[in-house]
Amino acid sequence: MELTRRDRRVVTLVWLGSIIVLWEVLAAVLLFLIQDNMASSKLPFPHDVLITFVGEWRSLLTAGFVTLSRAGLGFAIGGMIGVTLAVVMSLSKIAEKIAFPYLIVSQMIPVLGLAPIIFNIVRDMNMSRIVIAAYITFFPVAVNMLSGFKSVEDEKKELMRSIAANRVDIYLKLMFPYSLPYLFTGLKIAAPMAVTASILVDMLGSKSGIGVRILYSLYSSSFDIFWASVFTSAFMGILSYNIVIFAERLFIPWKNVASKKVGAK
Amino acid sequence: MNVPELQIKNVSKTYTNNNGEEIHALTDVSLDIREGEFICLLGPSGCGKSTLLRIIADLLEPTTGQVSIHGLTPRETRLKQKYGIVFQQPVLYDWRNVRRNVCMPMEIIGVPKSERTARIDRMLNLVGLEKFGLKYPFELSGGMQQRVGIARALALEPEILLMDEPFSALDEFTREKLNEDLLAIWGKTKTTIIFVTHNIPESIFLSDRVVVLSPHPGRVSAVVDIDLPRPRTATLRESPEFYDYIAKIRHSFEGV
């Protein structure tokens, strides 16, 4: 049973609507039924959050933008490093064998510990956000892209060899376009993580950024702003992911259509 | 007097498989191929036909023996970009449309842009896909994709066209149609074609000579001249002479 586009939109709307309703109900239960005094900090009413958001939208969005833009820059840099690493590792088996263990180890450090380490070394708030986003991004991109390179069918490479193509042509005309879907898988994994990491750095004591709003509002018990900030950051994570998806559709228009066509071979 | 274009002398290919056994993919194969000839390498799996093709194409190295093409080694021929190759799977680039797929080898060689467009037009006309230039591979049927593969292989106007079971993945009807189309194309381009197949009628229909290969170890069991008139038409497939050839070739396999 295939869902049409319209069906899927309806499903999404119903799903969203019921979440909001459920949420309101739960918040009301918490406040009125259980009579929890701390209700507003544990589970606010959606409409309260919305009102706060609308009221404070300018400052929230500015803070969000600060964090998001630095994360974005780091993401782009990390992506480029990842691609370069993948190319180097695919060119030389030795490079791959040497680099891989280091790569794995690099990701063993949890982000929570990483943020203060990077901040200590870099000492600049903006730089730290960029560095940590790059750090988070380069690994999934490198690994996925390398996987893409390795999965190019032998016959495609034999074809290139039969017309005596040089390495540059093989990479530019075959390996890269072929591996774009893999690249985007890596980017999709990295995008929300890069944003989260950037917010984490905020919390280490910057003056701007959404992470700071979250922290300060929590400590000063301004729960409305707290929740509005939390939702702004969630929104940023979702936005970053969707930007990558949009870019994917732009660069790989053939991907989804190709997989739907069945029985050609 | 046709000088042999391609000379295969005592070529053998042995390799060790995962179990440590020695596999004799080819043993002492010698063959002369004339310019402009359409020759088929026919045999079941494991007879070494694809291996032989790849040795000619410089995609594999022979263990012993040598191949020379107008005095050049396979490597030299390959580096001079004199080969066109068509595989069993079309191996088209999903991210390029038909025209740009056909164009790809020309980009690598550096054919000037104006010439490229002209050649693409010619090639697409040749394979009957003029109207499909802007389509993407996934929009085409298997047979059409293979035709694009052929167009692409011919785009460089190669001296030798190597075809490795190009129609094996297609249904019988498409295959027969493409056989006829291929002969028409060959009639126009006069390239030397080395065609690998496991299909006996196909090998007879297409070629001037059929080289019958048998497996374990891979070797040439027979070389059969096909004295059927050209141009070859569909009705030929039902003629008694055709059936005689099928029987003759079937009996020349050994150890199958």
Side-chain angles (χ1 to χ4, degrees):
Chain A
M1 192 198 109
E2 265 221 37
L3 291 174
T4 65
R5 249 218 174 123
R6 200 168 145 263
D7 286 341
R8 272 184 270 159
R9 283 215 188 107
V10 169
V11 167
T12 316
L13 279 171
V14 168
W15 184 88
L16 267 171
S18 35
I19 290 264
I20 295 181
V21 165
L22 188 66
W23 180 2
E24 287 264 0
V25 166
L26 278 175
V29 161
L30 204 58
L31 189 60
F32 297 123
L33 220 64
I34 305 182
Q35 306 221 317
D36 190 342
N37 287 335
M38 295 304 288
S40 64
S41 68
K42 287 188 195 155
L43 194 68
F45 284 103
H47 58 266
D48 279 339
V49 176
L50 192 62
I51 292 170
T52 316
F53 188 80
V54 169
E56 295 279 330
W57 72 273
R58 192 159 270 150
S59 67
L60 282 173
L61 244 43
T62 316
F65 182 74
V66 169
T67 313
L68 191 61
S69 58
R70 305 305 187 274
L73 189 57
F75 179 71
I77 294 175
M80 289 190 278
I81 296 176
V83 170
T84 313
L85 263 170
V87 173
V88 169
M89 287 198 287
S90 77
L91 283 173
S92 149
K93 264 246 166 248
I94 300 174
E96 183 188 343
K97 285 212 163 85
I98 296 177
F100 221 81
Y102 283 110
L103 284 183
I104 308 261
V105 167
S106 76
Q107 303 296 302
M108 298 270 105
I109 310 171
V111 184
L112 212 54
L114 204 56
I117 293 176
I118 290 187
F119 183 59
N120 220 16
I121 299 174
V122 175
R123 287 258 158 226
D124 171 66
M125 216 5 105
N126 277 327
M127 245 347 201
S128 302
R129 289 191 193 106
I130 296 174
V131 169
I132 203 173
Y135 194 92
I136 299 265
T137 308
F138 87 87
F139 181 74
V141 168
V143 167
N144 273 287
M145 194 107 197
L146 185 64
S147 180
F149 288 159
K150 284 185 167 180
S151 71
V152 177
E153 300 111 330
D154 283 336
E155 280 170 345
K156 286 202 164 83
K157 290 190 258 190
E158 281 180 329
L159 191 75
M160 277 293 188
R161 205 179 137 82
S162 74
I163 50 178
N166 59 32
R167 272 252 169 85
V168 174
D169 276 329
I170 295 181
Y171 272 90
L172 284 179
K173 295 196 194 285
L174 172 61
M175 307 285 246
F176 272 105
Y178 183 89
S179 307
L180 277 184
Y182 291 80
L183 173 66
F184 276 97
T185 304
L187 289 176
K188 277 191 273 190
I189 295 173
M193 293 202 297
V195 171
T196 309
S198 201
I199 294 176
L200 211 61
V201 167
D202 283 349
M203 292 185 179
L204 293 180
S206 77
K207 298 211 171 47
S208 50
I210 197 78
V212 169
R213 302 300 301 284
I214 294 178
L215 214 58
Y216 281 7
S217 56
L218 187 63
Y219 286 161
S220 60
S221 295
S222 329
F223 293 117
D224 290 336
I225 305 213
F226 170 72
W227 283 106
S229 308
V230 167
F231 282 105
T232 311
S233 56
F235 173 70
M236 276 161 49
I238 296 175
L239 181 68
S240 63
Y241 184 80
N242 277 297
I243 291 179
V244 178
I245 291 194
F246 177 74
E248 183 182 28
R249 240 173 249 152
L250 212 62
F251 285 102
I252 321 183
W254 66 86
K255 179 186 161 203
N256 290 319
V257 198
S259 51
K260 282 201 193 113
K261 169 106 177 164
V262 151
K265 289 191 180 129
Chain B
M1 176 61 193
N2 278 331
V3 174
E5 166 160 18
L6 205 153
Q7 289 180 295
I8 303 169
K9 287 203 181 103
N10 307 109
V11 163
S12 295
K13 178 72 178 167
T14 319
Y15 60 93
T16 349
N17 71 2
N18 291 333
N19 296 333
E21 297 163 344
E22 272 211 333
I23 307 283
H24 296 282
L26 284 174
T27 41
D28 202 33
V29 172
S30 293
L31 188 62
D32 282 344
I33 298 177
R34 294 183 297 270
E35 202 171 311
E37 190 176 0
F38 197 131
I39 193 165
C40 271
L41 305 178
L42 171 74
S45 320
C47 69
K49 53 193 194 296
S50 289
T51 309
L52 184 58
L53 193 80
R54 279 181 162 70
I55 289 176
I56 296 173
D58 191 38
L59 296 172
L60 276 181
E61 286 213 0
T63 315
T64 54
Q66 55 184 150
V67 178
S68 79
I69 301 106
H70 278 314
L72 298 175
T73 64
R75 173 145 305 173
E76 286 163 349
T77 317
R78 178 177 68 83
L79 292 174
K80 285 193 172 205
Q81 292 143 343
K82 290 193 186 283
Y83 287 127
I85 197 162
V86 182
F87 293 108
Q88 188 172 347
Q89 300 300 335
V91 198
L92 299 179
Y93 290 173
D94 292 321
W95 56 90
R96 289 181 173 225
N97 63 24
V98 166
R99 290 189 72 91
R100 294 203 58 227
N101 260 293
V102 176
C103 192
M104 198 272 291
M106 294 194 268
E107 288 170 16
I108 300 220
I109 293 198
V111 174
K113 214 157 192 197
S114 50
E115 169 70 10
R116 275 189 231 163
T117 322
R119 274 203 218 176
I120 296 175
D121 288 332
R122 269 207 312 274
M123 291 306 133
L124 289 182
N125 261 307
L126 201 58
V127 299
L129 289 175
E130 321 85 60
K131 299 210 176 76
F132 295 88
L134 298 176
K135 296 272 181 194
Y136 280 85
F138 62 80
E139 295 178 277
L140 304 176
S141 69
M144 291 160 94
Q145 288 185 16
Q146 257 317 15
R147 282 197 258 161
V148 178
I150 294 173
R152 178 180 59 186
L154 290 173
L156 290 185
E157 295 172 351
E159 273 183 23
I160 304 179
L161 187 60
L162 302 167
M163 306 181 83
D164 191 0
E165 301 195 53
F167 308 139
S168 292
L170 304 169
D171 66 80
E172 192 72 25
F173 305 98
T174 315
R175 183 200 280 248
E176 286 187 0
K177 174 80 175 49
L178 283 174
N179 282 171
E180 289 160 37
D181 290 344
L182 181 61
L183 284 183
I185 294 170
W186 177 63
K188 291 195 194 126
T189 59
K190 301 273 177 242
T191 336
T192 310
I193 299 189
I194 305 178
F195 190 101
V196 169
T197 180
H198 55 241
N199 184 306
I200 301 178
E202 181 175 57
S203 67
I204 299 169
F205 185 79
L206 291 172
S207 52
D208 295 319
R209 279 196 292 165
V210 175
V211 178
V212 179
L213 292 132
S214 298
H216 314 316
R219 64 200 181 281
V220 175
S221 334
V223 178
V224 181
D225 286 318
I226 307 289
D227 269 323
L228 294 170
R230 289 197 189 270
R232 306 226 174 122
T233 56
T235 51
L236 194 65
R237 292 187 200 273
E238 291 151 26
S239 68
E241 293 85 26
F242 195 80
Y243 283 111
D244 285 340
Y245 273 116
I246 293 182
K248 182 174 181 185
I249 287 180
R250 212 182 277 274
H251 292 147
S252 53
F253 284 109
E254 301 156 10
V256 177

